[in-house]
Amino acid sequence: MDLKKQTQGLRRTVVAAVLGFTMLVPVASAAETLADALVGAYNNSGLLDQNRAVLRAADEDVGIAKAALKPVVQWTGSLSQNVNRSVSAGSTFVPAGTRTSTNSLSTTVNLIASLLVYDFGATRYAVEATKETVLATRESLVSVEQQILLRAVDAYMTVIQTRDIVALRENNVRLLIQELRAAR
């Protein structure tokens, strides 16, 4: 009787474990190939999109650094108008109720052009430094791509391993059931 309780408890435990593992393994993963998993991981990675944006920003920094070598033209303008009106009460020289008005309009335009003549190579080195930053960012993007593909392969192989373990445990359950029947 004690052996019967032990085998029933073992049977329940094994069945529960097998059911638990089969719930973990998605059915669609059995039909998907490793190439499909890699393509899906590469196309749907937000981390890759983020690193591509960082690379685009670094590329733009090269253009900004090169712009320091170009001539710069700045201009400003202003326009002002003054209006004065006055009415005089009258005097010996000016008749009473005479109105005087003055209008003045002034315009100012400033144009400034500047050109970098010599800065001891600082701008050229800044351009080279930003180019090297772009190259480093590209290598970082390649590293992130490799990490994502490695994670996809690891996840795919873990699913296959788990599926095989579930199949093995299902076989063990069938064997234990057969041994239980033989023992009865």
Side-chain angles (χ1 to χ4, degrees):
M1 187 71 174
D2 189 36
L3 180 64
K4 186 176 180 181
K5 286 183 182 179
Q6 285 180 349
T7 48
Q8 283 179 349
L10 179 64
R11 181 178 174 204
R12 287 182 186 147
T13 304
V14 171
V15 169
V18 167
L19 289 175
F21 282 114
T22 55
M23 295 291 186
L24 291 176
V25 179
V27 177
S29 68
E32 188 176 87
T33 65
L34 179 59
D36 292 338
L38 291 175
V39 168
Y42 189 83
N43 289 336
N44 298 320
S45 174
L47 188 59
L48 276 177
D49 293 337
Q50 178 184 3
N51 280 291
R52 286 181 190 126
V54 169
L55 180 60
R56 283 191 301 273
D59 280 336
E60 291 172 2
D61 289 343
V62 173
I64 292 170
K66 284 182 178 180
L69 296 170
K70 307 283 185 196
V72 177
V73 177
Q74 299 173 338
W75 65 276
T76 59
S78 65
L79 178 65
S80 63
Q81 180 179 14
N82 293 326
V83 177
N84 292 327
R85 293 196 176 131
S86 62
V87 176
S88 62
S91 67
T92 56
F93 299 110
V94 178
T98 304
R99 294 182 179 183
T100 331
S101 66
T102 57
N103 289 333
S104 65
L105 179 66
S106 63
T107 306
T108 307
V109 176
N110 295 323
L111 183 64
I112 301 170
S114 62
L115 175 66
L116 178 66
V117 177
Y118 193 70
D119 66 350
F120 300 99
T123 306
R124 185 171 51 95
Y125 291 132
V127 170
E128 292 300 318
T130 55
K131 286 180 181 179
E132 293 300 322
T133 302
V134 168
L135 294 176
T137 307
R138 282 185 187 150
E139 289 304 314
S140 174
L141 178 62
V142 169
S143 174
V144 169
E145 287 174 342
Q146 290 174 348
Q147 290 172 3
I148 287 171
L149 293 176
L150 178 64
R151 288 182 200 153
V153 169
D154 184 45
Y156 183 81
M157 297 310 290
T158 301
V159 167
I160 289 179
Q161 178 186 16
T162 306
R163 186 183 64 205
D164 291 345
I165 289 172
V166 167
L168 181 65
R169 289 186 179 168
E170 287 173 346
N171 287 338
N172 286 342
V173 167
R174 282 193 296 271
L175 178 66
L176 288 174
I177 290 172
Q178 287 175 359
E179 287 179 1
L180 179 63
R181 287 181 188 155
R184 287 184 185 165

